[in-house]
């Protein structure tokens, strides 16, 4: 009965205590509560459990060993009994742990127990300081940045070789607490995908740490006596923080580099990428080889087709050539037959004059009639004789007249297109335009002005017009010169004897000049302008052409120089010019020759003088010097005006 009564009293007391809010009074309170709850069977509340389990028992000898003056060196979490939770402890955990330490180690509590307490040097100051630092978010963050329990080391090579993923998972998880970004990608395992691994390393290579080292400041700026001292302290502290921050980022980068260089997944990804590129390269090479083979096949087929076409074309050309040869032989045979018949019949002439006329007419017929016409004429001459020959001669003259008329009409149209309608157009005969002299000048000009000369055919046309025989012949154009040069190059000797006559005339001129060189040993440079010009032409290896005309032209120029006291800026003495004036054509030839023969040409001025008739090497040098002096004087005058 007595036991039952005590039990009921205890239950009532437990119910009564559970209904009222009470304050903690120390370890005795928690022990009593624990005994009551165990005896009554009533479960304790969560708040009571948290308060009872907040923190851990702290060794009193550790607390007494602390020096309040060296509070920076103490472990604040261990002082409050939170050595296991540390940075994971919440603000409520810190607050309850502090309250528990106050209830247990407050100087008044200890004095009540009869313990001797030295107020100025008591360890309770360390408890208060720990709560001041951990109870404020800013100071706690500063202390957490330099947590003495944090492991700043790297995994050893043995750990990496034995268990690579567990080792780096551990160290990356430890350092993940410093990340400003909350979501830190995991390190992963050996079967992680490439995107996950790349995202992990991209995150850590761009890692932003909130860790700061203000807790390790050697001096507190608030202790400075004046503003300047406080600024100096803050400057020194800031420099030390920046240095420690750089060391921390270097440590993080070294950890990431160590993991990256030892990561077998990266090695596998690189090998896969290398294999992929090699496969792509092989595929590209295969495609290139296939394309090359296809191109070679196409080239071979094209070459075969071209070869076949060339053979067919050669066969066709050979057939045409054979036909032409046959036509030439037949034409030659018919011409010989005609000439023999006319010769036997003495050209159907009544006197010598008619005979000469008919001989010339026979050549006209041979040159103008075709094969069929000649065959018809030879056949007709067997029956009709003179009558057929006279009719053929009239036909040949009519053909020549028609050709000349067509040439005149073409020239009239050309002049009408360029200069407008004109009356009294002079008829030009083809024989007058391209005489033997002009053909010789054309051949000489082509050799003097080779391919590559600027405006070559215009220069050659000017050369021919300047040095031609003159008279009633009209000047030639660049187009006519080009056509005539092509005709001379590709002319058929059986159809035209113009080139043969030109060559014979050039050879006769060469023989004549050779004889003159052999007989004129007494000629000197000072004899006369004509002889000086002649000797200069011979020295440059060019045969003289039309020396009489050149002498007449030089005499006319000397007379003109005597009449004009000053020409082209050249001073005169006693009414005679010191040197003959330069015409526009000569000036153009001089400029063209200087372009044709650059300064690197051996015997340059000899070559230039050869291009300008009636001008010696000294004349060319003197003319160039005058032009240079004229240009310099103009520049000086312009500079003086400015």
């Amino acid at each position: 009965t007595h036991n039952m009564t005590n039990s009921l009293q205890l239950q009532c007391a437990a119910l009564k205590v559970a209904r009222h809010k009470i304050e903690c009074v120390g370890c005795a309170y928690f022990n009593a509560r624990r005994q009551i709850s165990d005896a009554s069977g009533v479960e304790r509340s969560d708040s009571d459990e948290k308060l009872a389990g907040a923190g851990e028992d702290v060794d009193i000898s550790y607390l007494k060993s602390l020096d309040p003056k060296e509070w920076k060196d103490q472990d604040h979490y261990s002082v409050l009994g939170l050595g296991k939770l540390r940075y994971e402890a919440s603000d409520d955990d810190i607050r309850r742990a502090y309250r528990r330490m106050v209830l247990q180690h407050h100087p008044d509590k200890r004095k009540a127990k009869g313990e001797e307490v030295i107020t100025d040097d008591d360890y309770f100051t360390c408890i208060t300081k720990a709560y001041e630092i951990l109870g404020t978010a800013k100071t706690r963050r500063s202390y957490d940045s330099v947590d003495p329990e944090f492991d700043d080391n790297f995994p050893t090579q043995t750990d990496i070789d034995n268990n690579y993923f567990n080792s780096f998972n551990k160290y990356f998880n430890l350092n993940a607490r410093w990340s400003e970004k909350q979501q830190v990608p995991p390190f992963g395992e050996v079967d992680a995908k490439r995107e996950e691994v790349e995202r992990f390393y991209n995150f850590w290579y761009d890692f932003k740490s909130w860790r700061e080292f203000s807790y390790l400041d050697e001096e507190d700026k608030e202790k400075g006596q004046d503003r300047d001292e406080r600024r100096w302290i803050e400057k020194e502290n800031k420099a030390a923080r920046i240095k420690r921050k750089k060391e921390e980022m270097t440590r993080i980068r070294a950890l990431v580099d160590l993991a990256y260089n030892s990561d077998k997944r990266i090695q596998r990804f690189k090998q896969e990428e290398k294999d992929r590129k090699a496969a792509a390269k092989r595929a590209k090479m295969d495609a290139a080889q296939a394309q090359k083979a296809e191109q070679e096949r196409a080239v071979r087929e094209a070459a075969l087709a071209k070869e076949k076409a060339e053979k067919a074309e050669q066969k066709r050309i050979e057939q045409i050539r054979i036909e032409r040869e046959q036509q030439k032989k037949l034409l030659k045979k018919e011409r010989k037959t005609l000439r023999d018949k006319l010769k036997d019949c003495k050209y159907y002439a009544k006197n010598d004059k008619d005979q000469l006329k008919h001989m010339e007419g026979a050549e006209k017929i041979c040159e103008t009639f075709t094969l069929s016409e000649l065959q018809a004429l030879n056949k007709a001459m067997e029956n009709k004789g003179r009558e057929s020959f006279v009719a053929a001669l009239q036909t040949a003259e009519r053909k020549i007249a028609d050709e000349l008329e067509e040439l005149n009409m073409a020239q009239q149209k050309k002049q009408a297109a360029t200069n407008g309608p004109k009356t009294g157009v002079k008829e030009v005969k083809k024989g007058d335009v391209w005489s033997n002299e002009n053909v010789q000048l054309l051949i000489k000009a082509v050799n003097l002005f080779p391919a590559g000369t600027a405006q070559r055919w215009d220069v050659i046309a000017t050369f021919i017009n300047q040095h031609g025989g003159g008279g009633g012949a009209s000047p030639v154009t660049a187009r006519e010169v080009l056509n005539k040069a092509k005709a001379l190059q590709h002319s058929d000797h059986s159809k035209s004897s113009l080139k043969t006559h030109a060559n014979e005339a050039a050879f006769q001129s060469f023989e004549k000049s050779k004889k003159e060189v052999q007989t004129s040993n007494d000629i000197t440079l000072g004899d006369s302008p004509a002889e000086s010009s002649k000797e200069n032409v011979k020295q440059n290896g060019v045969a003289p052409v039309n020396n009489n005309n050149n002498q007449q032209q030089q005499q006319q120029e000397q007379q003109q120089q005597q009449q004009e006291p000053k020409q082209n800026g050249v001073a005169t003495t006693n009414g005679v010019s010191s040197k003959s004036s330069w015409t526009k054509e000569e000036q153009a030839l001089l400029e063209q020759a200087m372009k044709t023969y650059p300064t690197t040409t051996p015997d340059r001025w000899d070559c230039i003088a050869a291009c300008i008739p009636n001008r010696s090497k000294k004349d060319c040098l003197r003319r160039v010097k005058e032009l240079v002096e004229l240009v310099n004087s103009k520049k000086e005058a312009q500079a003086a005006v400015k």
Side-chain angles (χ1 to χ4, degrees):
T1 302
H2 180 69
N3 292 333
M4 292 178 62
T5 302
N6 293 334
S7 169
L8 290 172
Q9 290 177 356
L10 290 172
Q11 290 178 1
C12 291
L15 293 174
K16 186 177 180 180
V17 170
R19 292 191 187 97
H20 295 281
K21 185 177 180 180
I22 60 175
E23 294 292 335
C24 299
V25 294
C27 295
Y29 169 75
F30 291 114
N31 293 333
R33 291 280 297 177
R34 190 178 294 110
Q35 291 176 0
I36 293 173
S37 62
D38 293 342
S40 61
V42 178
E43 296 182 357
R44 291 177 290 177
S45 63
D46 294 339
S47 60
D48 293 338
E49 288 291 341
K50 289 181 180 180
L51 189 59
E56 57 189 15
D57 294 335
V58 182
D59 188 5
I60 189 65
S61 61
Y62 168 72
L63 294 176
K64 290 181 178 181
S65 65
L66 297 175
D67 185 1
K69 297 179 182 179
E70 303 294 336
W71 58 270
K72 275 194 173 184
D73 297 335
Q74 70 183 18
D75 186 356
H76 300 301
Y77 285 110
S78 298
V79 170
L80 295 181
L82 299 174
K84 294 182 179 179
L85 293 176
R86 303 194 72 79
Y87 72 93
E88 294 179 351
S90 63
D91 294 339
D92 292 338
D93 293 336
I94 295 172
R95 188 166 47 254
R96 285 195 297 269
Y98 174 67
R99 289 175 62 186
R100 184 173 66 84
M101 295 299 292
V102 168
L103 291 174
Q104 292 180 2
H105 301 283
H106 195 276
D108 294 340
K109 296 289 185 179
R110 293 182 352 228
K111 287 179 181 180
K113 293 180 181 181
E115 184 179 345
E116 183 180 359
V117 177
I118 302 174
T119 305
D120 295 338
D121 195 19
D122 189 58
Y123 65 85
F124 189 74
T125 304
C126 297
I127 297 174
T128 305
K129 192 66 176 179
Y131 182 69
E132 289 178 0
I133 293 175
L134 299 180
T136 306
K138 182 178 180 180
T139 54
R140 183 186 179 187
R141 189 184 185 92
S142 178
Y143 176 72
D144 286 342
S145 297
V146 295
D147 190 352
E149 295 295 329
F150 180 73
D151 187 5
D152 286 337
N153 297 322
F154 296 162
T156 62
Q157 190 62 39
T158 304
D159 296 337
I160 295 174
D161 296 338
N162 294 336
N163 200 336
Y164 170 83
F165 292 98
N166 290 340
S167 300
F168 280 104
N169 264 313
K170 171 187 173 183
Y171 285 95
F172 277 113
N173 291 335
L174 286 176
N175 288 276
R177 60 181 288 192
W178 312 124
S179 176
E180 292 181 356
K181 298 179 181 179
Q182 295 299 324
Q183 296 182 355
V184 180
F187 184 70
E189 297 295 336
V190 68
D191 57 348
K193 296 181 180 180
R194 181 169 186 169
E195 293 77 8
E196 298 175 354
V197 177
E198 290 179 350
R199 183 168 61 252
F200 171 81
Y201 282 109
N202 290 336
F203 175 85
W204 281 96
Y205 273 118
D206 194 26
F207 185 74
K208 299 294 186 299
S209 175
W210 58 261
R211 194 176 188 182
E212 50 94 9
F213 301 92
S214 60
Y215 185 81
L216 299 178
D217 291 345
E218 295 183 0
E219 297 186 39
D220 189 1
K221 71 174 183 178
E222 301 300 333
K223 294 181 180 180
Q225 296 180 0
D226 52 15
R227 183 175 60 181
D228 293 337
E229 186 176 357
R230 287 192 294 270
R231 285 182 177 178
W232 181 84
I233 294 173
E234 179 62 22
K235 181 179 178 181
E236 294 294 325
N237 291 337
K238 186 176 180 181
R241 294 173 196 170
I242 292 174
K243 181 179 179 181
R244 293 188 180 98
K245 185 72 173 181
K246 289 182 178 179
E247 293 175 354
E248 171 64 11
M249 296 310 299
T250 303
R251 185 188 67 84
I252 294 293
R253 175 57 64 90
L255 177 63
V256 179
D257 289 340
L258 180 61
Y260 185 86
N261 295 330
S262 304
D263 198 340
K264 297 181 179 179
R265 298 172 301 180
I266 297 297
Q267 297 175 4
R268 187 179 74 248
F269 296 153
K270 288 183 178 180
Q271 186 62 34
E272 291 176 355
E273 182 69 16
K274 185 177 180 180
D275 295 341
R276 184 186 64 79
K277 289 183 178 180
K281 185 177 180 180
R282 286 195 299 271
K284 186 177 180 180
M285 291 178 63
D286 294 341
Q289 290 178 356
Q291 184 179 4
K292 184 178 180 181
E294 180 65 21
Q295 291 177 354
E296 290 177 353
R297 185 187 63 80
V299 169
R300 287 196 300 271
E301 292 180 355
L304 291 175
K306 183 179 179 181
E307 186 178 357
K308 291 181 180 179
E310 288 178 353
K311 289 182 178 179
E313 182 67 16
Q314 289 177 359
K315 186 176 181 181
R316 185 182 67 82
I317 293 173
E318 184 65 19
Q319 186 67 26
I320 293 174
R321 187 187 66 79
I322 294 172
E323 292 177 357
R324 286 181 178 177
E325 291 293 334
Q326 293 176 355
Q327 292 288 334
K328 289 179 181 179
K329 290 180 180 179
L330 294 175
L331 184 62
K332 186 177 180 180
K333 181 179 178 181
E334 294 297 329
R335 287 175 178 174
K336 186 176 183 301
T337 303
L338 177 62
R339 291 189 182 101
D340 293 341
K341 288 182 178 180
L342 292 174
K343 187 176 181 180
D344 295 338
C345 298
K346 297 182 180 180
Y347 296 95
Y348 301 106
K350 298 178 180 179
N351 50 34
D352 294 338
K353 186 177 180 180
D354 288 344
Q355 185 177 1
L356 182 62
K357 182 179 179 181
H358 288 177
M359 289 176 65
E360 183 180 356
E363 295 300 325
K364 290 181 180 180
I365 293 172
C366 291
E367 292 293 334
T368 56
F369 273 36
T370 61
L371 177 62
S372 58
E373 291 175 343
L374 286 174
Q375 290 176 348
L377 176 60
N378 289 329
K379 188 175 182 180
M381 285 179 63
E382 294 177 355
N383 298 326
K384 297 183 179 181
R386 176 182 174 80
E387 183 180 355
S388 300
F389 174 72
V390 172
L393 182 59
Q394 294 175 355
T395 304
E397 290 177 351
R398 187 169 57 253
K399 284 185 177 182
I400 295 173
D402 293 341
E403 184 178 354
L404 291 175
E405 184 179 1
E406 185 179 354
L407 181 61
N408 290 330
M409 290 296 293
Q411 188 170 3
Q412 289 177 8
K413 289 181 180 180
K414 183 178 180 181
Q415 291 180 355
T418 55
N419 301 327
K422 291 185 179 180
T423 58
V425 178
K426 184 179 179 181
E427 292 185 359
V428 180
K429 292 185 179 181
K430 190 173 182 181
D432 294 338
V433 173
W434 291 110
S435 62
N436 291 335
E437 181 183 356
N438 286 347
V439 172
Q440 293 180 28
L441 290 174
L442 173 60
I443 296 172
K444 178 180 178 181
V446 169
N447 294 327
L448 285 176
F449 305 104
T453 305
Q455 298 180 352
R456 181 191 184 195
W457 299 109
D458 293 329
V459 174
I460 293 175
T462 304
F463 182 85
I464 294 173
N465 293 329
Q466 181 180 359
H467 301 88
S474 63
V476 296
T477 61
R479 175 61 61 182
E480 293 174 349
V481 171
L482 178 59
N483 293 335
K484 186 60 180 177
K486 290 182 178 180
L488 289 175
Q489 184 177 4
H490 301 289
S491 61
D492 188 357
H493 294 282
S494 62
K495 292 183 178 180
S496 175
S497 60
L498 184 58
K499 188 172 182 181
T500 304
H501 294 330
N503 292 334
E504 292 177 355
F507 181 75
Q508 292 175 1
S509 177
F510 173 73
E511 290 291 336
K512 183 179 178 181
S513 63
K514 185 176 179 182
K515 292 179 181 179
E516 291 176 356
V517 171
Q518 293 175 355
T519 56
S520 60
N521 294 326
D522 56 344
I523 296 177
T524 60
L525 294 174
D527 290 341
S528 66
E531 293 173 352
S532 177
S533 174
K534 181 178 178 181
E535 184 177 354
N536 288 330
V537 172
K538 291 179 180 179
Q539 289 177 356
N540 289 286
V542 181
V545 180
N546 200 1
N547 293 327
N548 296 327
N549 293 334
N550 290 337
Q551 293 176 359
Q552 293 175 4
Q553 184 178 358
Q554 290 177 358
Q555 292 175 1
Q556 292 175 2
E557 290 178 356
Q558 290 178 358
Q559 293 175 2
Q560 184 178 1
Q561 290 171 4
Q562 293 175 359
Q563 293 174 0
E564 296 179 1
K566 189 175 182 180
Q567 293 179 350
N568 295 329
V570 181
T572 61
T573 305
N574 297 326
V576 180
S577 175
S578 61
K579 53 183 176 293
S580 61
S581 62
W582 284 70
T583 63
K584 293 183 179 180
E585 291 77 6
E586 289 178 337
Q587 183 68 30
L589 289 173
L590 175 61
E591 294 175 358
Q592 183 60 48
M594 292 181 68
K595 293 179 182 179
T596 305
Y597 301 103
T599 55
T600 57
T601 305
D603 299 332
R604 182 193 183 199
W605 292 103
D606 293 333
C607 298
I608 293 174
C611 297
I612 307 171
N614 305 327
R615 292 293 177 181
S616 64
K617 176 180 177 181
K618 293 182 179 180
D619 294 337
C620 296
L621 289 170
R622 191 180 297 110
R623 180 59 177 170
V624 172
K625 185 176 180 181
E626 289 176 1
L627 294 176
V628 172
E629 291 177 354
L630 180 62
V631 172
N632 292 335
S633 62
K634 287 184 178 180
K635 288 183 179 179
E636 292 176 358
Q638 292 176 358
V641 171
K642 292 181 180 179

